[in-house]
Amino acid sequence: MRLHNRDVRQDVRELGALLGDVLEDQTSRRSFETVESCRRAAIDYRAGELESREPLVTELENLSPHQQRIVARAFTTYFELINLAEERERVRTIRTASQEGTLDDSLETAAEELGEADVETVKQILDDVLIEPTFTAHPTEARRKTVKSKLREISTSLETLDERLLTDKETGQLWRDVDAEVTSLWQTPQVRNRQPEPEDEARNVQWYLENTLFDVVGEVYDELDDAIDEEVPGNLEIPKLFEFRSWAGSDRDGNPYVTPEVTANTLERQRSVVLEQYREQLKRLSGVLSQDGSRIDAGSEFQATLERDRERLPGSARTAEERYPGEPYRQKLKLMRERLRRVGDVRPGGYDEVDDLLADLEVISKSLRNNGAESVVDAHVDPIRRQVATFGFSLASLDLREHQQKHTDAIAEALETEGIDYHELSEADRVEFLTDAVLQDESVIDLGDTAELSDDSVRVLELFDSLADWQTEYGSHAIDTYAISMTEEPSHVLEVLFLADQADVIALPEHAGIDIVPLLETEYALSGARRIMGSLFENDAYSQVLEARGHTQEIMLGYSDSNKENGFLAANWSLYKNQRRLGEICDDHDVTMRLFHGRGGSISRGGGPMNEALLALPNSTVTGQVKFTEQGEAIAEKYANPRIAERNIEQMLNAQLRARKGALDQPEEEVRDEWVEAMETMADAARREYRDLLESEGFVRYFEQATPITVIEDLDLGSRPASRSGERTVEDLRAIPWVFSWTQSRCILPGWYAIASGVEAYLDDGGSMETLQTMYEEWPFFRTTLDNAALSLSRTELEIAERYAEMAEPTLRDRFFPRVTDEYERAADYITEIGRRDQLHTRDWLGENLERRNPYVDPLNMLQIYLLDRTHRTDIEERTLRLTVKGIAAGMKNTG
């Protein structure tokens, strides 16, 4: 059976040719030939037909600023289109493997593995699993929303060309549409002319939830339901397995533009969107449930709920009876739509809780089943029920986040008016004061009295003052998590508890309206996990919060800042060890742990294949509940296309079901002592080498001169500043621009630097290569760590990176670039030897991808270097430079 009409080579060839036609039409024949000349020079050098890149460099440097801008735009647009071709190829691969039954990490394979266990164990696994992808507003999406919209239209046309039988005329009409979109894309500014605002970022996240995930989730549940029925005896009910969350519009850490008004608007907009979705779904369901009431018995339970709705909404009930005489299901659905319309309305009769809507859907399901319409329930009612269970009345629950120092300062300023010098209290005295304050009935501070406070402290108190109102208006589940950046002491968590208590969001012992989530990201915090969490679990006030929250503690791990502080290998080992340590601490206190992995899109920030990452977690930490961030361009790559979104969710679920089964079968992962000792030796040496590099005199200047960091800081990628304080230090720089800058210069140092030094230290200390090879074969953590480093090494291009290094002062270049090169070459040798393979990466598609892309990224890099090295740039040169950043990001499919 033939599923597709095209392949990736045809898509790339025809889209490239179309872009060439548009380029010539919109500019000139000369411009087209210039771009072609640059393209051929880059390809010929990669193919070995030119001895150097100098012909390409010379041509680019001799172009007028206007022509340089056309070249930058041409290659940037090319990558935007080629990314669509590769996305289509991913879909082909998924569909073909699904048809042939060879799809890895499928729900069928997960169900087969679950089928090895008894029914009660399978039921426990399903009940335990809850996966919470959390979308952030971190500024790593380089494309404008307008550009993404046009690309999505082209993608839809490619899908039609590939999957439908078309006449020649229909094919011609589709290519005419693609031509129009590419022409419009060429005429559309690629670079934003303003910085996006937090509400722009919230709308961007909302788009994926509304337009892709809302429909996809139901399909994943259906697939799992069928797979479980096939492998597990009995008729197991599939519980809620997914819940989506968001930081967009609520993450305040380092972003002064996220105000209470922004958060309130986000909550209102998301509720409005999801309620409209449900109304549309119920309207479609009404078209299906046209049963004649005189020929079926809807049942007493159904009739009772219908009568209650008639009493609530007498006017709407009369309309429903007139419109649908003798059709009880349609009458019921009409009243349900009206109740949804009145959620949050001043008019009475609306649904108070999402559980009420779920109960109505369940009543309809039971009634239909009792009338022999099981297939109607499976096909039409259950998908809606699962959507409601997943998205609630909030679409995505919001997490709040703020830096711990802001809470400390706000409390200190507020208490100063009460005659208490909070800043001078020791950690023990702070813990005692905060605990007593929470446990007493009287308020200590007035959150509304902010007249004498600094702007930052006013923001903190206003936030907590608003939180109670939001939970009253939208339900506590709509905004019920508070993450604390840079948590390093128990008092940092108790400060949030204190502020929530003053706001009446928490009223112990009966009610705790939020999960308080420490974000552990520094080595001091991670190594002090028992000190922090143990103290909290034994605290008189915090233990009551745990009781009210079902004895579940969410703990967030910061991958980005941990990597920036310690380097790739040491950070990964520290995170692994401390996850195990946190699991032990929670077990000791009979607390269920939910790890929140603060992963970025790039390898160095915790990225990489999600299913492999979930399966590589220590067994002792796999409680079934897991949460992780999705950010930047990774969101578009994973969730823009419905089929790819479905595949991503399926892989997550496959991994988490299997990981939970593995944790139940073997609660403690078997890690040999010699492996732990090897990792300790390697991580310590790697951290020393990494820190020595960062702390070497002149390294920050080298980083400034050998990467486009100064340009990246000025890009309007997100609403949040690139630096926490505006200073240029590695510590103060946010992890995203740190990685973005190295990625642009094709030296993806944060993803592999110091691995070789670590391995070498272990071997010099008497370790054996055979042990490392065994670790790679048998230990998922070690294998995944090295494979991820191999991906970063594969994407590194030292020849290109050397040209960036040449922009630095000669003394700095000579001091640092050879050191980086040596570390790269040794790391590549060690990883291939440990993995017993001939090349760095193990994925064939990556080799094809790099071969296809690299020649087209090279001209953008050469042009960027030329413009960066100019001491004075005109306005058009400045815009072209910014465009090269966008183009390289598109070509690398990664910003960082």
Side-chain angles (χ1 to χ4, degrees), residues 554-566:
E554 185 173 306
I555 302 170
M556 186 173 183
L557 300 175
Y559 287 67
S560 301
D561 285 292
S562 178
N563 179 283
K564 186 160 65 74
E565 179 187 12
N566 302 297

Side-chain angles (χ1 to χ4, degrees), residues 802-840:
E802 185 174 13
R803 288 187 171 266
Y804 281 86
E806 288 170 357
M807 293 190 295
E809 300 165 31
T811 54
L812 297 178
R813 179 190 65 228
D814 294 344
R815 187 184 314 162
F816 293 113
F817 189 71
R819 181 173 176 178
V820 169
T821 299
D822 179 61
E823 190 70 34
Y824 170 89
E825 291 173 347
R826 288 184 297 126
D829 290 342
Y830 280 132
I831 286 178
T832 52
E833 186 175 359
I834 292 169
R836 305 186 207 221
R837 54 185 189 247
D838 297 329
Q839 59 184 14
L840 275 167

